[in-house]
Amino acid sequence: MIEQILDKIRHYNTIIIHRHVRPDPDALGSQGGLARLIRDNFPEKKVYSVGEEAADLRFLVRMDRIEDAAYRGALVIVCDTANQARISDARYTLGDALIKIDHHPVVDAYGDPQWVRTEASSTSEMITSIYMKHPELTLSDAAARLLFAGIVGDTGRFQFSNVTKETFLASARLVSRPFDRQAFFDRLYQKKLDLVRLNGYVLQHFTLTREGAGYIKLPLDLIRSYHLEPSDAAALVNSFSMTEGLKAWALFSEEESRIRVRLRSKGPVINSLAADYHGGGHPLASGATVYSWDEADRLIDALVALCRPEK
Ligand SMILES: [Mn+2]
């Protein structure tokens, strides 16, 4: 598969890389890391990264602004995105060829080829494996920093169950490049004071049921009282993950016309629950959407049932 993808990259003069909306470090790291890897090794090619930016991750990588005409005869690669509805920038169909590189369970079979490895911790780990299979390629410090960012982001600094020996081997190769790791970590985990204060609220007010289900409801007016937006609040999903007895949990952040749900688990599989509520994702990390607090309560009941030991 890696050879097929490299052949396509060699064949096209323009390569445009997309990833999912509301980007996280893996979306940006795999997109930006692949872009750098191609630029560093094929300097004659035009390589663009597109999609909306996330203010707090602009320090990682910036996007390119391109005209529709750039897609004519181009190779489009979509990183870290299970389904077409979540691809940032709808112009991904305008190219001559489309490749998917992803580690999420397949939602939507788009692209040819589709390189999907659900056992990979992150799409950034997959991109790193291209370099590991081809050590003759140049890996710049900038590419290494971006790919490392993606792995760190999707593994929660190497603590989630998606981490394998391959994750560490890939990371070892990346940190052998002398980018400023300390500055990267300081910047990635820096939080605005308002968000630190809201984190305090979450820690004080989340519910833990005797079954081991945890949840916190954050109504829009509460979020706004901290001068924050619902998308900021979603970043607190792992705020109380260290709580003794906690098995699976949900963070509800209310938006104008819907309530976003972030689901996480240490055991009970929660992506089928997410699928029941307009969402999906990984077995232990998913997202969903509900449209009322009553519907939120039904989701909580289902979450509690998932945490209840089998009789
Ligand atoms: Mn990812």
Side-chain angles (χ1 to χ4, degrees):
M1 187 61 85
I2 287 176
E3 301 315 312
Q4 261 189 67
I5 290 171
L6 278 176
D7 282 347
K8 287 235 169 176
I9 288 171
R10 286 190 195 99
H11 183 263
Y12 284 90
N13 292 320
T14 302
I15 298 150
I16 304 172
I17 310 179
H18 290 236
R19 39 70 191 168
H20 61 75
V21 294
R22 289 184 285 114
D24 56 16
D26 186 37
L28 293 169
S30 58
Q31 176 190 38
L34 178 60
R36 284 308 292 241
L37 194 63
I38 298 171
R39 270 189 212 121
D40 293 340
N41 290 282
F42 306 95
E44 72 285 3
K45 294 186 190 295
K46 290 182 194 145
V47 186
Y48 303 111
S49 299
V50 300
E52 93 278 24
E53 295 190 331
D56 55 344
L57 292 174
R58 273 195 195 117
F59 80 94
L60 274 181
V61 65
R62 300 300 303 263
M63 293 296 109
D64 300 305
R65 289 189 193 289
I66 57 171
E67 303 292 323
D68 294 359
Y71 284 84
R72 209 166 296 139
L75 169 64
V76 176
I77 303 177
V78 181
C79 290
D80 200 42
T81 313
N83 55 322
Q84 295 176 75
R86 292 197 70 222
I87 300 174
S88 183
D89 196 329
R91 297 181 294 172
Y92 68 93
T93 56
L94 299 182
D96 189 53
L98 179 65
I99 295 176
K100 178 195 208 187
I101 303 179
D102 189 28
H103 70 122
H104 296 89
V106 174
V107 174
D108 198 347
Y110 69 87
D112 179 28
Q114 302 171 31
W115 183 31
V116 176
R117 287 192 62 227
T118 53
E119 66 278 19
S121 69
S122 51
T123 304
S124 296
E125 182 184 319
M126 295 172 68
I127 303 295
T128 308
S129 76
I130 298 175
Y131 164 68
M132 293 179 73
K133 285 257 161 55
H134 288 270
E136 77 280 7
L137 293 175
T138 297
L139 180 80
S140 63
D141 298 355
R145 171 177 168 274
L146 283 162
L147 295 169
F148 185 72
I151 294 175
V152 164
D154 266 22
T155 62
R157 288 173 271 189
F158 304 99
Q159 62 183 317
F160 299 155
S161 60
N162 60 1
V163 173
T164 65
K165 189 180 89 178
E166 307 309 319
T167 314
F168 284 111
L169 287 170
S171 303
R173 293 296 281 273
L174 296 173
V175 300
S176 72
R177 301 300 317 176
F179 62 92
D180 190 341
R181 219 178 328 148
Q182 194 60 56
F184 156 73
F185 273 115
D186 287 348
R187 188 64 187 76
L188 185 64
Y189 291 100
Q190 168 184 302
K191 284 191 172 77
K192 285 186 286 188
L193 178 61
D194 287 323
L195 193 63
V196 173
R197 299 285 188 216
L198 181 63
N199 189 34
Y201 175 91
V202 171
L203 290 170
Q204 289 283 342
H205 296 276
F206 78 94
T207 300
L208 175 64
T209 73
R210 58 192 159 79
E211 292 85 358
Y215 61 90
I216 180 74
K217 295 175 180 175
L218 299 174
L220 187 56
D221 56 353
L222 178 106
I223 294 168
R224 291 262 160 87
S225 75
Y226 285 85
H227 318 105
L228 293 169
E229 292 302 317
S231 55
D232 302 318
L236 299 175
V237 61
N238 287 316
S239 172
F240 52 89
S241 63
M242 74 298 282
T243 309
E244 184 180 12
L246 183 68
K247 293 180 188 166
W249 63 99
L251 178 141
F252 297 86
S253 62
E254 185 180 25
E255 301 181 350
E256 294 289 351
S257 58
R258 60 186 177 182
I259 302 166
R260 287 271 185 189
V261 192
R262 296 289 187 287
L263 287 159
R264 296 291 183 272
S265 174
K266 296 181 183 183
V269 170
I270 38 99
N271 55 352
S272 46
L273 172 65
D276 289 342
Y277 290 88
H278 322 284
H282 300 277
L284 303 181
S286 292
T289 304
V290 294
Y291 294 90
S292 69
W293 289 111
D294 285 343
E295 198 182 4
D297 287 338
R298 288 198 291 281
L299 189 155
I300 290 167
D301 289 344
L303 184 69
V304 169
L306 284 178
C307 293
R308 200 169 281 140
E310 311 261 342
K311 285 202 200 96

